[in-house]
Amino acid sequence: LPPEGVAFSMERFWDRVVPVDDEDFVGRAVVTLGNLERWIRMREHRKRTLQRLSFELCPGAEIAMSIYCTTIEARVPYPVYLLNENNKLLKSETKHLCPSTGAILHPVEDVETYVEVAGQRVNVTRAEVAATKHFGEPGMKLLGFKAASSLQPHHRIFHSYFVHPNDKGITGSSALCQALIDKMIAERLMAIVRYTARRNAEPCLVALFPQTEEVDNDGVQTRSPGFHMVRLPWAGEI
């Protein structure tokens, strides 16, 4: 509140939200309040980066990219188990027991893993099992280009992701990515990329569709430059 004897000043705060205009007060107030509601909603729903990976265009040329999940299925959260006496979180532990003696077995020294080959059990270590699941470092590698019209509706059986250049990872990623986007849009092409999400994840093929930047009349960005990444299914998944 203003001190006693001082007139209330609309210009300090409320003029930005509800501007005082004798000619079109109602119209400008509605527009400004609508923008304020949009700004508040954008701050509440802040986009979080799912991954930060490198995109290899060719040997020696890489772009730093950030991956965002645009659409995801809402699921019921997992239950949390509490102790009924003090409501503290319960921790679950798994132990292996010997069926003959009931003794507790060590998960590394006493437990062996095997692979059945030609009817025989071949013992393998945990390190060897982990090595068979390693297909390379996480990242994206460009394999080639195809016409954007070659992607059919039945090829889209997973939700898409949005890939945006990250200049903090590699300087100049946005400039090189924008040049690639402009060329792909001009030629009406999509990129075929090998995508490895995590270190022990199975690599898959994805299609990248370019998207240019768009701004409204107020200069606010409505569409970010980047790629829509669509995971391509294997033959058995169609």
Side-chain angles (χ1 to χ4, degrees), residues 100-177:
S100 302
T101 62
I104 298 177
L105 302 178
H106 193 273
V108 178
E109 298 178 356
D110 300 330
V111 179
E112 294 183 350
T113 56
Y114 69 90
V115 177
E116 189 171 348
V117 180
Q120 297 182 358
R121 293 183 177 182
V122 180
N123 294 333
V124 294
T125 63
R126 292 179 178 268
E128 292 173 341
V129 174
T132 58
K133 298 179 181 179
H134 180 63
F135 296 94
E137 295 298 328
M140 305 168 63
K141 183 177 181 179
L142 179 63
L143 301 180
F145 299 93
K146 294 194 69 175
S149 59
S150 59
L151 186 68
Q152 302 300 322
H154 62 273
H155 293 158
R156 306 183 184 186
I157 60 177
F158 306 98
H159 63 82
S160 62
Y161 299 87
F162 185 73
V163 184
H164 184 73
N166 179 22
D167 275 338
K168 294 182 179 180
I170 299 178
T171 305
S173 297
S174 297
L176 182 55
C177 183

Side-chain angles (χ1 to χ4, degrees), residues 23-237:
E23 297 180 358
D24 189 11
F25 171 75
V26 178
R28 290 191 57 188
V30 171
V31 173
T32 309
L33 288 176
N35 293 337
L36 178 63
E37 181 181 358
R38 183 183 61 180
W39 296 334
I40 295 177
R41 184 175 181 83
M42 289 175 61
R43 292 192 177 186
E44 289 180 352
H45 300 273
R46 184 176 182 180
K47 298 179 178 61
R48 296 181 179 179
T49 305
L50 181 64
Q51 287 177 311
R52 291 183 176 90
L53 301 174
S54 60
F55 182 18
E56 181 181 354
L57 301 179
C58 62
E62 294 184 354
I63 303 176
M65 308 296 285
S66 299
I67 300 178
Y68 300 88
C69 185
T70 56
T71 304
I72 191 171
E73 180 183 359
R75 298 180 180 179
V76 178
Y78 293 101
V80 178
Y81 297 98
L82 304 175
L83 185 62
N84 56 358
E85 298 177 357
N86 50 18
N87 287 338
K88 290 186 177 181
L89 294 175
L90 295 178
K91 297 182 180 180
S92 60
E93 296 182 357
T94 302
K95 297 183 179 180
H96 301 277
L97 302 178
C98 179
S100 302
T101 62
I104 298 177
L105 302 178
H106 193 273
V108 178
E109 298 178 356
D110 300 330
V111 179
E112 294 183 350
T113 56
Y114 69 90
V115 177
E116 189 171 348
V117 180
Q120 297 182 358
R121 293 183 177 182
V122 180
N123 294 333
V124 294
T125 63
R126 292 179 178 268
E128 292 173 341
V129 174
T132 58
K133 298 179 181 179
H134 180 63
F135 296 94
E137 295 298 328
M140 305 168 63
K141 183 177 181 179
L142 179 63
L143 301 180
F145 299 93
K146 294 194 69 175
S149 59
S150 59
L151 186 68
Q152 302 300 322
H154 62 273
H155 293 158
R156 306 183 184 186
I157 60 177
F158 306 98
H159 63 82
S160 62
Y161 299 87
F162 185 73
V163 184
H164 184 73
N166 179 22
D167 275 338
K168 294 182 179 180
I170 299 178
T171 305
S173 297
S174 297
L176 182 55
C177 183
Q178 187 60 45
L180 180 61
I181 290 174
D182 295 339
K183 188 62 176 179
M184 291 177 60
I185 292 178
E187 300 291 338
R188 297 182 180 179
L189 297 175
M190 67 176 181
I192 305 299
V193 177
R194 186 187 68 182
Y195 170 57
T196 305
R198 293 173 298 277
R199 182 177 178 83
N200 295 328
E202 179 183 357
C204 61
L205 296 179
V206 297
L208 298 184
F209 289 86
Q211 174 178 289
T212 57
E213 182 182 14
E214 291 185 1
V215 295
D216 57 9
N217 297 330
D218 298 330
V220 179
Q221 186 185 67
T222 58
R223 292 179 60 182
S224 300
F227 298 94
H228 290 279
M229 183 172 69
V230 179
R231 179 187 166 190
L232 301 178
W234 304 109
E237 295 175 333

